[in-house]
Amino acid sequence: MIGTITQSGVDAGFTWLIKPLLDKGFIAKDQTFIHWLPLGIILAFILRGGAGFMSNYFMAWTGRNVVMRFRQDIFAHLLRLPATFYDNTTSGQLLSAIIYNVDQVAKASSDAIVIVVQESFFIAGLIVVMMLTSWKLSLLFLVTTPVIAVIARRSSLRMRRLSKSVQFSMGDITQVAEESIEGYKVIRTFGGQQYETDKFNDLTVKNRFRELKIIATNILASSSVQLVAGCVISLTIYLTTLKSAHITAGGFTSMIAAMLALLKPMRNLTNVNNTIQKGIAAAESIFLLLDQPPEKDEGTTQLTRVKGAIEYQQVNFSYNSDKKILHDISFKAEPGQTIALVGRSGSGKSTLVNLLPRFYDGYSGRILVDGIDTHTIRLEDLRKQLAFVSQQVTLFNDTIAHNIAYGRFAQASEAEIIRAAEAAHAMEFIKELPDGLQTLVGENGVLLSGGQRQRIAIARALLKNSPILILDEATSALDTEAERHIQEALDSLMHNRTTLVIAHRLSTIENAHTILVMDNGRIVESGSHAQLLAHDGYYAKLYRMQFKELATA
Ligand SMILES: Nc1ncnc2c1ncn2[C@@H]1O[C@H](COP(=O)(O)OP(=O)(O)OP(=O)(O)O)[C@@H](O)[C@H]1O
Ligand SMILES: [Mg+2]
């Protein structure tokens, strides 16, 4: 602020200088004044340079800090938002919030503020100069204020509305780009190039159109303001040329110079309004995101390591109120037991297991771990008790070792990582890789095969060594060799742990203590493999069907 004000002060001072320059220098020929003037100008420029550096650097510092803090805050907040939030938001909109919106705020809070402060003070300085010269004429300028205010207000509202739509289109562009980059194989094999290109081009055209609308609004506002100012200048000239006006030649020149000098800061101010409105619109969206309630974590019970008893009591659940997904789910698992879930696709198996780590809330009934209601346990402590191997394996663009030791780099030694990898039957292929455990796996593990990825995920769960294990088994068809490897890996993983396993291949769960058969969100049968076969119901039918497939294969 000090730098900016100084700089504007010096600039306004130069306009003021015109009066003594003409009146004292040229007309009165004041020798001392003429001699000292050049030195004074040099000093003024040195002052102006220093002040300019100060103002620009520190304002940029502020702006960059705004960007950094916003990005960090948004990111930290994203890690706390509930699963329902992610179900209903596209990653493109979120990415563009972190990248695009934040930058708009930064521009408004640094570049724009520099201009606003600088130009406002410059204008104030010029008005002082005008006042000193002729306060009556200067008052004319005040007449313009309400007119300019109306123009500024109307254009601001419009620009803010348009900026919102630009933000959305940036999110859409990011989304389509991201999907197309990730899904490039599907796009090529299914001939989606034209469709995606059209979709993308359409969005970029829309984006350009909206940006241009903002710019047009801006130009209109800025030229209207200039027009108003121009009228005042011409009026001033008309009035000063009237006989009654008492003003010196220097005073008149200084006055007109000040008025003409006013045009540029006025234009800059109206132009920068564009940036400010974009910044405000972006800030609104960012705060909307930051105001999203995080996952509920009201439990206070602290747990170190549970034994692993799990109990569901009459659990009912729906994602959105209209359709109930789980009906009256009740079952019990003693520590170390394996509970298998089988049933048709879409019957609610994944949903059921997702409630245990409290990815979704808002179910009725109770879920207990070691007899404690999971709602009363601290979220972090609850999740510490579980390892999750899900239907879609998530690997990070990092080394195999870091993927296995994910979240516990500090605790896991290389020997432990190797032990986990061996138990997961992953070491066999890791050894063949050029850099072994230090091999980079690429984004989401693209450089590995599906079965290899799964074994890494199993090794990760093994290393976590938690008392409860949730396995949401992928349906991916693996060859018998790989399947045997994975089965062995899973067996060592399930050993000594309470396991909830969702299985599509029934051969994998014959030894489970209890098999729950689900249909349409209900448990329709339960019992051991032998009991269910004897019962001769849905499970027996399913088993015979798979058995036949195996026999004919
Ligand atoms: N995030 C979600 N939001 C809304 N509805 C969902 C969501 N996830 C799943 N559903 C719905 O809930 C029902 C049960 O889905 P769920 O994923 O639990 O099935 P599943 O038994 O695991 O199936 P599969 O064997 O194919 O994995 C489905 O009808 C599905 O459409
Ligand atoms: Mg599922």
Side-chain angles (χ1 to χ4, degrees), residues 202-221:
D202 226 39
L203 288 172
T204 47
V205 168
K206 252 191 212 137
N207 181 265
R208 180 196 58 180
F209 182 65
R210 289 168 181 175
E211 287 276 16
L212 285 177
K213 260 172 138 177
I214 296 183
I215 290 168
T217 311
N218 196 30
I219 297 171
L220 266 177

Side-chain angles (χ1 to χ4, degrees), residues 345-346 348-351 391 472-473 502 504:
S345 178
K349 305 179 296 293
S350 297
T351 307
Q391 250 171 331
D472 198 344
E473 201 180 83
I502 297 174
H504 293 93

Side-chain angles (χ1 to χ4, degrees), residues 278-459:
K278 275 187 173 173
I280 292 176
E284 278 174 5
S285 318
I286 290 172
F287 282 117
L288 200 68
L289 178 62
L290 287 176
D291 285 343
Q292 291 286 327
E295 276 185 307
K296 279 210 198 84
D297 187 8
E298 286 151 2
T300 48
T301 310
Q302 302 194 6
L303 293 179
T304 42
R305 190 181 173 89
V306 296
K307 290 202 189 67
I310 300 171
E311 188 174 356
Y312 277 54
Q313 293 179 345
Q314 309 234 295
V315 173
N316 287 278
F317 176 75
S318 61
Y319 284 104
N320 25 49
S321 48
D322 45 308
K323 192 176 162 242
K324 217 157 141 188
I325 303 292
L326 295 179
H327 301 262
D328 277 336
I329 301 292
S330 299
F331 69 89
K332 217 170 157 172
E334 298 301 335
Q337 284 187 346
T338 297
I339 305 286
L341 293 160
V342 297
R344 244 182 234 129
S345 178
S347 57
K349 305 179 296 293
S350 297
T351 307
L352 188 152
V353 298
N354 273 328
L355 295 185
L356 187 58
R358 282 180 49 201
F359 286 145
Y360 292 93
D361 238 318
Y363 53 85
S364 69
R366 301 206 308 160
I367 299 177
L368 312 171
V369 171
D370 271 14
I372 310 166
D373 190 327
T374 51
H375 276 110
T376 66
I377 303 172
R378 281 181 21 186
L379 216 47
E380 190 193 339
D381 284 351
L382 172 68
R383 291 178 180 167
K384 239 189 254 166
Q385 314 301 325
L386 322 148
F388 205 100
V389 182
S390 75
Q391 250 171 331
Q392 290 111 14
V393 174
T394 302
L395 294 185
F396 297 90
N397 185 16
D398 205 336
T399 61
I400 290 185
H402 272 187
N403 268 295
I404 294 178
Y406 188 76
R408 44 189 53 236
F409 306 127
Q411 296 107 304
S413 66
E414 172 138 358
E416 282 175 295
I417 295 175
I418 292 177
R419 212 173 318 132
E422 269 167 358
H425 290 260
M427 214 52 214
E428 292 131 60
F429 76 83
I430 295 174
K431 265 190 291 203
E432 308 285 310
L433 294 170
D435 296 320
L437 275 171
Q438 301 309 321
T439 310
L440 290 168
V441 299
E443 189 175 88
N444 210 11
V446 281
L447 306 181
L448 300 176
S449 79
Q452 289 169 342
R453 254 177 269 172
Q454 244 170 354
R455 279 180 271 170
I456 302 259
I458 292 170

Side-chain angles (χ1 to χ4, degrees), residues 87-127:
D87 290 348
N88 299 313
T89 319
T90 64
S91 53
Q93 293 292 353
L94 291 179
L95 285 179
S96 103
I98 293 184
I99 293 161
Y100 175 79
N101 293 7
V102 160
D103 221 53
Q104 301 301 307
V105 180
K107 281 198 187 117
S109 56
S110 56
D111 309 2
I113 287 185
V114 172
I115 293 173
V116 168
V117 174
Q118 212 168 345
E119 303 294 26
S120 306
F121 276 97
F122 187 33
I123 289 179
L126 288 174
I127 289 176

Side-chain angles (χ1 to χ4, degrees), residues 467-496:
I468 298 172
L469 173 68
I470 298 173
L471 282 176
D472 198 344
E473 201 180 83
T475 39
S476 57
L478 299 164
D479 61 78
T480 25
E481 172 76 8
E483 189 176 328
R484 196 179 47 97
H485 279 318
I486 288 179
Q487 193 53 50
E488 282 168 4
L490 285 177
D491 286 344
S492 56
L493 185 57
M494 286 151 73
H495 186 65
N496 273 338

